[in-house]
Protein backbone atom coordinates (compact mmCIF):
# COMPACT_ATOMS: atom_id res chain seq x y z
CA UNK A 1 0.00 0.00 0.00
CA UNK A 2 2.86 2.34 0.86
CA UNK A 3 4.48 1.61 -2.51
CA UNK A 4 1.31 2.51 -4.37
CA UNK A 5 0.93 5.68 -2.32
CA UNK A 6 4.54 6.64 -3.00
CA UNK A 7 4.11 6.09 -6.76
CA UNK A 8 0.92 8.15 -6.78
CA UNK A 9 2.78 10.92 -4.97
CA UNK A 10 5.78 10.84 -7.33
CA UNK A 11 3.72 10.96 -10.53
CA UNK A 12 2.72 14.64 -10.20
CA UNK A 13 6.21 15.56 -8.98
CA UNK A 14 7.87 13.90 -11.99
CA UNK A 15 5.29 15.40 -14.31
CA UNK A 16 5.99 18.85 -12.86
CA UNK A 17 9.74 18.32 -13.19
CA UNK A 18 9.31 17.29 -16.85
CA UNK A 19 7.08 20.26 -17.67
CA UNK A 20 9.42 22.70 -15.94
CA UNK A 21 12.45 21.39 -17.81
CA UNK A 22 10.53 21.37 -21.07
CA UNK A 23 9.57 25.00 -20.50
CA UNK A 24 13.17 25.85 -19.64
CA UNK A 25 14.41 24.12 -22.79
CA UNK A 26 11.86 25.93 -24.96
CA UNK A 27 12.73 29.20 -23.26
CA UNK A 28 16.43 28.62 -23.93
CA UNK A 29 15.69 27.82 -27.58
CA UNK A 30 13.63 30.96 -27.88
CA UNK A 31 16.36 32.99 -26.19
CA UNK A 32 18.98 31.61 -28.59
CA UNK A 33 16.71 32.28 -31.56
CA UNK A 34 16.05 35.80 -30.28
CA UNK A 35 19.76 36.53 -30.16
CA UNK A 36 20.22 35.10 -33.65
CA UNK A 37 17.31 37.12 -35.03
CA UNK A 38 18.02 40.24 -32.93
CA UNK A 39 21.77 40.49 -32.35
CA UNK A 40 21.30 44.18 -31.53
CA UNK A 41 20.16 42.93 -28.10
CA UNK A 42 23.58 41.48 -27.34
CA UNK A 43 25.36 42.85 -24.25
CA UNK A 44 27.86 45.63 -24.77
CA UNK A 45 31.25 44.15 -25.59
CA UNK A 46 33.08 46.51 -23.24
CA UNK A 47 31.23 45.08 -20.20
CA UNK A 48 30.79 41.47 -21.36
CA UNK A 49 33.85 40.09 -19.53
CA UNK A 50 32.61 41.67 -16.25
CA UNK A 51 29.22 40.01 -16.68
CA UNK A 52 30.69 36.51 -16.90
CA UNK A 53 33.67 36.42 -14.52
CA UNK A 54 35.60 33.18 -14.87
CA UNK A 55 33.46 31.97 -17.78
CA UNK A 56 34.44 34.41 -20.54
CA UNK A 57 35.94 31.75 -22.84
CA UNK A 58 32.91 29.48 -22.51
CA UNK A 59 30.49 32.34 -23.19
CA UNK A 60 32.62 33.40 -26.18
CA UNK A 61 32.24 29.88 -27.63
CA UNK A 62 28.47 30.02 -27.18
CA UNK A 63 28.21 33.41 -28.87
CA UNK A 64 30.47 32.12 -31.64
CA UNK A 65 28.04 29.26 -32.37
CA UNK A 66 25.16 31.73 -32.40
CA UNK A 67 27.12 34.03 -34.73
CA UNK A 68 27.60 31.18 -37.21
CA UNK A 69 23.84 30.52 -37.14
CA UNK A 70 23.17 34.24 -37.57
CA UNK A 71 25.38 34.41 -40.66
CA UNK A 72 23.81 31.25 -42.07
CA UNK A 73 20.26 32.56 -41.69
CA UNK A 74 21.12 35.84 -43.41
CA UNK A 75 23.76 34.71 -45.90
CA UNK A 76 21.68 35.10 -49.07
CA UNK A 77 21.01 38.80 -48.63
CA UNK A 78 24.16 39.50 -46.60
CA UNK A 79 21.93 41.09 -43.95
CA UNK A 80 24.28 39.63 -41.35
CA UNK A 81 26.62 42.57 -41.95
CA UNK A 82 24.30 44.88 -40.02
CA UNK A 83 25.41 43.38 -36.69
CA UNK A 84 28.26 41.07 -37.68
CA UNK A 85 30.97 43.40 -36.44
CA UNK A 86 29.25 43.79 -33.05
CA UNK A 87 29.11 40.02 -32.68
CA UNK A 88 32.77 39.53 -33.62
CA UNK A 89 33.73 42.46 -31.39
CA UNK A 90 31.85 40.92 -28.44
CA UNK A 91 33.43 37.48 -28.92
CA UNK A 92 36.93 38.89 -29.26
CA UNK A 93 36.45 40.96 -26.09
CA UNK A 94 35.39 37.86 -24.17
CA UNK A 95 38.29 35.84 -25.57
CA UNK A 96 40.89 38.06 -27.29
CA UNK A 97 42.98 35.04 -28.33
CA UNK A 98 40.19 33.16 -30.14
CA UNK A 99 41.40 33.53 -33.73
CA UNK A 100 38.35 32.36 -35.75
CA UNK A 101 36.25 35.54 -35.26
CA UNK A 102 39.09 37.68 -36.59
CA UNK A 103 39.52 35.46 -39.66
CA UNK A 104 35.79 35.34 -40.42
CA UNK A 105 35.55 39.07 -39.94
CA UNK A 106 38.43 39.65 -42.33
CA UNK A 107 36.78 37.54 -45.03
CA UNK A 108 33.15 38.66 -44.70
CA UNK A 109 33.07 42.28 -43.57
CA UNK A 110 34.81 44.02 -46.49
CA UNK A 111 33.30 41.86 -49.27
CA UNK A 112 30.43 43.17 -51.40
CA UNK A 113 30.24 40.92 -54.42
CA UNK A 114 26.89 39.30 -53.64
CA UNK A 115 24.31 40.30 -56.32
CA UNK A 116 21.56 40.15 -53.66
CA UNK A 117 23.21 42.80 -51.51
CA UNK A 118 21.61 46.22 -51.34
CA UNK A 119 24.17 48.41 -49.58
CA UNK A 120 24.88 52.04 -50.31
CA UNK A 121 28.48 53.18 -50.90
CA UNK A 122 28.38 54.78 -47.45
CA UNK A 123 27.34 51.48 -45.85
CA UNK A 124 30.07 49.59 -47.69
CA UNK A 125 32.62 52.14 -46.51
CA UNK A 126 31.34 51.68 -42.97
CA UNK A 127 31.78 47.89 -43.26
CA UNK A 128 35.36 48.45 -44.37
CA UNK A 129 36.02 50.73 -41.40
CA UNK A 130 34.59 48.09 -39.11
CA UNK A 131 36.90 45.55 -40.67
CA UNK A 132 39.85 47.83 -39.95
CA UNK A 133 38.84 48.13 -36.29
CA UNK A 134 38.75 44.35 -36.00
CA UNK A 135 42.12 44.16 -37.77
CA UNK A 136 43.72 46.56 -35.30
CA UNK A 137 42.56 44.40 -32.40
CA UNK A 138 43.85 41.28 -34.16
CA UNK A 139 47.28 42.82 -34.66
CA UNK A 140 47.40 44.07 -31.08
CA UNK A 141 46.57 40.66 -29.62
CA UNK A 142 48.51 38.37 -31.96
CA UNK A 143 51.50 40.30 -33.32
CA UNK A 144 54.61 42.16 -32.25
CA UNK A 145 53.96 45.62 -33.72
CA UNK A 146 57.58 46.68 -33.20
CA UNK A 147 58.75 43.82 -35.40
CA UNK A 148 56.16 44.71 -38.03
CA UNK A 149 57.52 48.25 -38.17
CA UNK A 150 61.07 46.90 -38.56
CA UNK A 151 59.96 44.66 -41.42
CA UNK A 152 58.14 47.53 -43.09
CA UNK A 153 61.36 49.58 -43.15
CA UNK A 154 63.43 46.70 -44.57
CA UNK A 155 63.34 46.23 -48.36
CA UNK A 156 65.85 43.39 -48.47
CA UNK A 157 63.65 40.32 -48.35
CA UNK A 158 66.67 38.09 -47.80
CA UNK A 159 67.40 39.94 -44.55
CA UNK A 160 63.77 39.61 -43.44
CA UNK A 161 63.91 35.86 -44.00
CA UNK A 162 67.31 35.22 -42.44
CA UNK A 163 67.77 37.75 -39.62
CA UNK A 164 66.37 36.56 -36.28
CA UNK A 165 65.25 40.05 -35.28
CA UNK A 166 62.48 39.85 -37.90
CA UNK A 167 61.41 36.27 -37.16
CA UNK A 168 57.79 35.35 -36.41
CA UNK A 169 56.25 38.78 -35.76
CA UNK A 170 52.81 37.15 -35.43
CA UNK A 171 51.48 34.01 -33.81
CA UNK A 172 50.37 32.69 -37.19
CA UNK A 173 51.09 33.53 -40.81
CA UNK A 174 47.33 33.67 -41.46
CA UNK A 175 47.02 37.02 -39.67
CA UNK A 176 49.22 39.09 -42.05
CA UNK A 177 48.29 36.84 -45.00
CA UNK A 178 44.58 37.66 -44.84
CA UNK A 179 45.35 41.32 -44.27
CA UNK A 180 47.54 41.41 -47.37
CA UNK A 181 44.84 39.68 -49.40
CA UNK A 182 42.16 42.18 -48.35
CA UNK A 183 44.38 45.19 -48.99
CA UNK A 184 45.08 43.88 -52.48
CA UNK A 185 41.66 42.54 -53.47
CA UNK A 186 39.23 44.88 -51.73
CA UNK A 187 41.18 48.01 -50.90
CA UNK A 188 43.43 48.05 -54.01
CA UNK A 189 46.22 49.27 -51.76
CA UNK A 190 49.12 47.31 -53.22
CA UNK A 191 51.71 49.04 -51.08
CA UNK A 192 50.05 47.87 -47.84
CA UNK A 193 49.55 44.44 -49.41
CA UNK A 194 53.29 44.25 -50.09
CA UNK A 195 54.01 45.27 -46.50
CA UNK A 196 51.99 42.43 -45.04
CA UNK A 197 53.24 39.85 -47.52
CA UNK A 198 56.71 40.80 -46.26
CA UNK A 199 55.47 40.15 -42.73
CA UNK A 200 54.19 36.75 -43.92
CA UNK A 201 57.67 36.01 -45.28
CA UNK A 202 59.13 36.40 -41.78
CA UNK A 203 56.90 33.64 -40.42
CA UNK A 204 58.36 30.14 -40.06
CA UNK A 205 54.92 28.61 -40.68
CA UNK A 206 54.31 30.57 -43.90
CA UNK A 207 54.10 28.87 -47.31
CA UNK A 208 57.10 29.57 -49.54
CA UNK A 209 55.07 31.27 -52.26
CA UNK A 210 54.26 34.10 -49.84
CA UNK A 211 57.76 35.43 -50.47
CA UNK A 212 57.00 35.68 -54.19
CA UNK A 213 53.79 37.57 -53.48
CA UNK A 214 55.72 40.13 -51.45
CA UNK A 215 57.79 40.98 -54.52
CA UNK A 216 54.82 40.92 -56.88
CA UNK A 217 52.84 43.30 -54.69
CA UNK A 218 55.76 45.71 -54.57
CA UNK A 219 55.67 45.68 -58.36
CA UNK A 220 51.92 46.25 -58.45
CA UNK A 221 52.44 49.35 -56.31
CA UNK A 222 54.79 50.52 -59.09
CA UNK A 223 57.72 50.44 -56.74
CA UNK A 224 59.55 48.35 -59.28
CA UNK A 225 62.98 49.04 -57.86
CA UNK A 226 61.93 47.58 -54.51
CA UNK A 227 60.39 44.62 -56.30
CA UNK A 228 63.55 44.14 -58.35
CA UNK A 229 65.81 44.11 -55.29
CA UNK A 230 63.48 41.81 -53.40
CA UNK A 231 63.56 39.22 -56.18
CA UNK A 232 67.34 39.52 -56.54
CA UNK A 233 67.84 39.07 -52.80
CA UNK A 234 65.61 35.99 -52.88
CA UNK A 235 67.60 34.55 -55.78
CA UNK A 236 70.77 34.89 -53.71
CA UNK A 237 69.36 33.39 -50.50
CA UNK A 238 67.29 30.36 -51.57
CA UNK A 239 68.20 27.04 -50.01
CA UNK A 240 68.43 25.27 -53.38
CA UNK A 241 71.96 26.24 -54.38
CA UNK A 242 72.46 27.23 -58.03
CA UNK A 243 75.83 28.96 -58.25
CA UNK A 244 75.48 30.28 -61.82
CA UNK A 245 72.01 31.70 -61.12
CA UNK A 246 73.13 33.29 -57.86
CA UNK A 247 76.21 34.87 -59.46
CA UNK A 248 74.13 36.33 -62.30
CA UNK A 249 71.56 37.79 -59.88
CA UNK A 250 74.38 39.35 -57.85
CA UNK A 251 75.94 40.82 -61.00
CA UNK A 252 72.61 42.31 -62.15
CA UNK A 253 72.25 43.96 -58.75
CA UNK A 254 75.80 45.36 -58.91
CA UNK A 255 75.40 46.84 -62.40
CA UNK A 256 71.95 48.25 -61.70
CA UNK A 257 73.33 49.99 -58.61
CA UNK A 258 75.89 51.66 -60.89
CA UNK A 259 73.11 53.02 -63.12
CA UNK A 260 71.29 54.35 -60.06
CA UNK A 261 74.40 55.89 -58.48
CA UNK A 262 75.16 57.76 -61.72
CA UNK A 263 71.51 58.73 -62.27
CA UNK A 264 71.48 57.05 -65.69
CA UNK A 265 68.46 55.49 -67.43
CA UNK A 266 68.64 51.79 -68.24
CA UNK A 267 70.05 50.96 -71.65
CA UNK A 268 69.10 48.43 -74.27
CA UNK A 269 72.65 47.08 -74.20
CA UNK A 270 72.35 46.17 -70.53
CA UNK A 271 69.00 44.45 -71.14
CA UNK A 272 70.37 42.59 -74.18
CA UNK A 273 73.41 41.30 -72.31
CA UNK A 274 71.24 40.34 -69.33
CA UNK A 275 68.96 38.25 -71.54
CA UNK A 276 71.93 36.57 -73.24
CA UNK A 277 73.37 35.57 -69.87
CA UNK A 278 69.94 34.50 -68.60
CA UNK A 279 69.50 32.17 -71.58
CA UNK A 280 72.96 30.73 -71.04
CA UNK A 281 72.40 30.09 -67.34
CA UNK A 282 68.83 28.77 -67.58
CA UNK A 283 67.57 25.98 -69.85
CA UNK A 284 64.95 26.68 -72.49
CA UNK A 285 61.52 26.61 -70.90
CA UNK A 286 59.26 23.67 -71.77
CA UNK A 287 56.12 21.98 -70.49
CA UNK A 288 58.33 19.31 -68.91
CA UNK A 289 60.68 21.59 -66.93
CA UNK A 290 58.46 24.63 -66.24
CA UNK A 291 57.31 23.43 -62.81
CA UNK A 292 60.93 22.91 -61.71
CA UNK A 293 62.45 26.12 -63.10
CA UNK A 294 59.61 28.30 -61.79
CA UNK A 295 59.36 26.48 -58.47
CA UNK A 296 59.08 28.64 -55.37
CA UNK A 297 62.34 27.23 -54.00
CA UNK A 298 64.49 27.76 -57.12
CA UNK A 299 66.87 30.63 -57.77
CA UNK A 300 65.76 30.54 -61.43
CA UNK A 301 62.22 31.51 -60.46
CA UNK A 302 63.32 34.67 -58.66
CA UNK A 303 65.93 35.53 -61.29
CA UNK A 304 63.37 35.49 -64.12
CA UNK A 305 60.97 37.65 -62.11
CA UNK A 306 63.76 40.14 -61.33
CA UNK A 307 64.66 40.44 -65.02
CA UNK A 308 60.98 40.94 -65.83
CA UNK A 309 60.85 43.89 -63.41
CA UNK A 310 64.07 45.23 -64.95
CA UNK A 311 62.51 45.05 -68.44
CA UNK A 312 59.39 46.88 -67.30
CA UNK A 313 61.52 49.57 -65.66
CA UNK A 314 63.36 50.02 -68.96
CA UNK A 315 60.09 50.35 -70.91
CA UNK A 316 58.51 52.71 -68.38
CA UNK A 317 61.50 55.05 -68.46
CA UNK A 318 61.25 55.23 -72.24
CA UNK A 319 57.48 55.62 -72.18
CA UNK A 320 57.77 58.54 -69.75
CA UNK A 321 59.90 60.37 -72.33
CA UNK A 322 57.43 59.44 -75.08
CA UNK A 323 54.52 60.96 -73.09
CA UNK A 324 56.56 64.14 -72.57
CA UNK A 325 57.06 64.44 -76.34
CA UNK A 326 53.44 63.48 -77.16
CA UNK A 327 51.35 65.04 -74.35
CA UNK A 328 48.08 64.25 -76.11
CA UNK A 329 48.74 60.51 -75.83
CA UNK A 330 48.64 58.39 -72.68
CA UNK A 331 51.37 55.97 -73.77
CA UNK A 332 53.21 54.44 -76.68
CA UNK A 333 51.21 51.32 -75.73
CA UNK A 334 53.74 48.73 -77.00
CA UNK A 335 57.51 48.18 -76.95
CA UNK A 336 57.38 47.98 -80.74
CA UNK A 337 56.09 51.55 -80.95
CA UNK A 338 58.88 52.76 -78.65
CA UNK A 339 61.40 50.91 -80.81
CA UNK A 340 60.07 52.34 -84.08
CA UNK A 341 60.43 55.91 -82.78
CA UNK A 342 63.92 55.28 -81.31
CA UNK A 343 62.95 55.63 -77.67
CA UNK A 344 64.49 52.20 -77.11
CA UNK A 345 67.02 50.25 -79.15
CA UNK A 346 66.14 46.83 -77.82
CA UNK A 347 62.80 45.05 -77.30
CA UNK A 348 63.04 42.84 -74.20
CA UNK A 349 61.69 39.30 -74.33
CA UNK A 350 60.37 37.62 -71.20
CA UNK A 351 61.85 34.26 -70.26
CA UNK A 352 58.43 32.65 -69.90
CA UNK A 353 57.81 31.74 -73.55
CA UNK A 354 56.23 28.70 -75.18
CA UNK A 355 56.10 27.91 -78.87
CA UNK A 356 52.69 29.56 -79.42
CA UNK A 357 52.24 31.88 -76.42
CA UNK A 358 54.10 33.59 -73.59
CA UNK A 359 54.48 36.65 -71.39
CA UNK A 360 54.48 39.94 -73.33
CA UNK A 361 54.85 43.56 -72.20
CA UNK A 362 52.03 46.00 -72.93
CA UNK A 363 50.52 49.21 -71.59
CA UNK A 364 47.82 48.40 -69.03
CA UNK A 365 44.74 50.61 -68.89
CA UNK A 366 43.98 49.29 -65.40
CA UNK A 367 47.27 50.46 -63.93
CA UNK A 368 48.12 53.26 -66.35
CA UNK A 369 51.62 51.87 -67.03
CA UNK A 370 53.42 49.05 -68.75
CA UNK A 371 52.80 45.62 -67.29
CA UNK A 372 53.09 41.98 -68.30
CA UNK A 373 50.37 39.70 -69.58
CA UNK A 374 49.95 36.40 -71.35
CA UNK A 375 49.85 36.85 -75.13
CA UNK A 376 50.22 35.09 -78.46
Amino acid sequence: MKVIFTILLLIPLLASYYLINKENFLFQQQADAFIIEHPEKLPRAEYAALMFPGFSNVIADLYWLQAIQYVGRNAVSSEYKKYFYEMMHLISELNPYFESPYILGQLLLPSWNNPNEDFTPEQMEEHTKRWEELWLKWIENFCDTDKIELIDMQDNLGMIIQDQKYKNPCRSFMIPYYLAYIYFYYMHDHSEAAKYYKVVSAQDDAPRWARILAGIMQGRAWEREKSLFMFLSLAQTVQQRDEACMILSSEIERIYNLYVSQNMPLTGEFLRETEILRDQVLPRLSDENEDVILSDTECSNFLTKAIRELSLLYLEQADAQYITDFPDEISAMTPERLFELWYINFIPTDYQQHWDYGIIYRYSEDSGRFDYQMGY
Side-chain angles (χ1 to χ4, degrees):
M1 191 69 177
K2 290 182 179 180
V3 174
I4 295 174
F5 179 78
T6 302
I7 292 173
L8 292 174
L9 184 64
L10 285 175
I11 287 174
L13 291 175
L14 293 172
S16 299
Y17 179 79
Y18 169 76
L19 291 173
I20 291 171
N21 277 278
K22 182 179 179 181
E23 288 297 321
N24 286 338
F25 177 72
L26 292 173
F27 176 79
Q28 186 62 46
Q29 280 190 318
Q30 292 170 356
D32 291 345
F34 182 80
I35 290 175
I36 293 168
E37 298 297 336
H38 301 279
E40 71 274 17
K41 302 299 183 181
L42 287 167
R44 287 178 62 87
E46 290 73 11
Y47 309 123
L50 299 176
M51 295 171 61
F52 308 104
F55 298 95
S56 294
N57 290 356
V58 175
I59 301 301
D61 290 340
L62 293 176
Y63 279 134
W64 171 247
L65 294 175
Q66 291 168 353
I68 297 300
Q69 295 178 61
Y70 171 64
V71 172
R73 290 194 181 190
N74 297 277
V76 174
S77 62
S78 294
E79 284 294 303
Y80 64 83
K81 290 183 180 178
K82 288 183 178 179
Y83 302 105
F84 186 65
Y85 167 76
E86 282 73 14
M87 300 184 82
M88 297 301 101
H89 179 45
L90 169 61
I91 295 166
S92 57
E93 284 294 306
L94 287 166
N95 185 356
Y97 303 108
F98 182 21
E99 194 169 15
S100 297
Y102 299 105
I103 295 175
L104 196 63
Q106 296 294 309
L107 296 176
L108 295 184
L109 274 173
S111 64
W112 45 74
N113 295 321
N114 189 332
N116 296 309
E117 291 180 356
D118 186 24
F119 295 125
T120 65
E122 291 75 19
Q123 287 174 318
M124 290 190 292
E125 184 178 354
E126 181 64 23
H127 293 154
T128 302
K129 289 180 180 178
R130 293 297 197 180
W131 154 73
E132 190 171 14
E133 291 176 20
L134 200 60
W135 157 64
L136 290 172
K137 188 192 295 188
W138 197 9
I139 289 292
E140 180 181 351
N141 291 328
F142 282 81
C143 298
D144 184 333
T145 54
D146 291 335
K147 277 191 177 182
I148 290 177
E149 290 304 314
L150 281 175
I151 291 170
D152 187 31
M153 293 185 291
Q154 176 60 260
D155 292 326
N156 188 322
L157 203 57
M159 289 289 292
I160 293 173
I161 294 167
Q162 293 180 338
D163 196 322
Q164 286 297 319
K165 71 179 180 181
Y166 302 112
K167 282 287 186 182
N168 298 320
C170 297
R171 294 192 180 193
S172 165
F173 86 91
M174 290 191 295
I175 301 168
Y177 173 73
Y178 281 121
L179 290 175
Y181 164 72
I182 291 167
Y183 270 120
F184 173 71
Y185 191 77
Y186 292 112
M187 308 290 287
H188 307 293
D189 189 337
H190 300 150
S191 180
E192 283 296 293
K195 169 184 174 179
Y196 283 104
Y197 277 125
K198 286 199 298 182
V199 175
V200 174
S201 299
Q203 293 288 141
D204 287 336
D205 63 337
R208 292 183 179 275
W209 44 258
R211 297 171 181 177
I212 298 177
L213 290 172
I216 290 175
M217 290 304 107
Q218 288 286 5
R220 288 293 181 273
W222 306 116
E223 298 171 329
R224 291 209 181 276
E225 286 190 344
K226 289 184 179 180
S227 184
L228 169 63
F229 283 116
M230 289 174 73
F231 283 131
L232 289 174
S233 65
L234 281 168
Q236 297 168 51
T237 56
V238 290
Q239 293 180 350
Q240 299 292 335
R241 309 294 291 181
D242 183 338
E243 294 297 330
C245 174
M246 295 172 69
I247 291 172
L248 178 55
S249 64
S250 179
E251 190 65 10
I252 291 173
E253 181 177 357
R254 184 187 68 81
I255 296 174
Y256 181 74
N257 278 328
L258 289 175
Y259 276 96
V260 173
S261 65
Q262 298 178 26
N263 198 27
M264 293 173 53
L266 290 169
T267 64
E269 290 73 21
F270 176 39
L271 267 295
R272 181 185 293 108
E273 291 300 318
T274 298
E275 288 191 11
I276 290 173
L277 291 171
R278 177 199 67 190
D279 295 340
Q280 290 175 350
V281 168
L282 304 179
R284 182 181 295 274
L285 195 68
S286 67
D287 293 336
E288 290 73 25
N289 65 14
E290 182 173 16
D291 290 342
V292 175
I293 294 175
L294 301 182
S295 167
D296 296 346
T297 60
E298 295 292 330
C299 172
S300 53
N301 176 50
F302 301 115
L303 175 64
T304 57
K305 286 179 169 58
I307 296 174
R308 178 180 296 158
E309 295 298 322
L310 196 66
S311 299
L312 289 168
L313 265 172
Y314 170 64
L315 294 175
E316 287 177 359
Q317 287 176 359
D319 200 41
Q321 185 59 53
Y322 176 92
I323 296 169
T324 300
D325 295 341
F326 297 92
D328 294 335
E329 299 185 33
I330 59 172
S331 170
M333 308 304 286
T334 68
E336 289 74 18
R337 176 68 174 166
L338 291 171
F339 183 80
E340 290 171 2
L341 297 179
W342 296 94
Y343 285 94
I344 59 175
N345 58 3
F346 175 73
I347 298 177
T349 302
D350 195 89
Y351 174 76
Q352 201 169 339
Q353 302 294 321
H354 295 269
W355 71 274
D356 59 343
Y357 69 95
I359 295 292
I360 59 174
Y361 305 134
R362 292 289 185 272
Y363 175 81
S364 169
E365 292 185 358
D366 292 335
S367 61
R369 298 193 181 188
F370 270 85
D371 205 348
Y372 63 91
Q373 64 185 53
M374 194 63 70
Y376 296 91

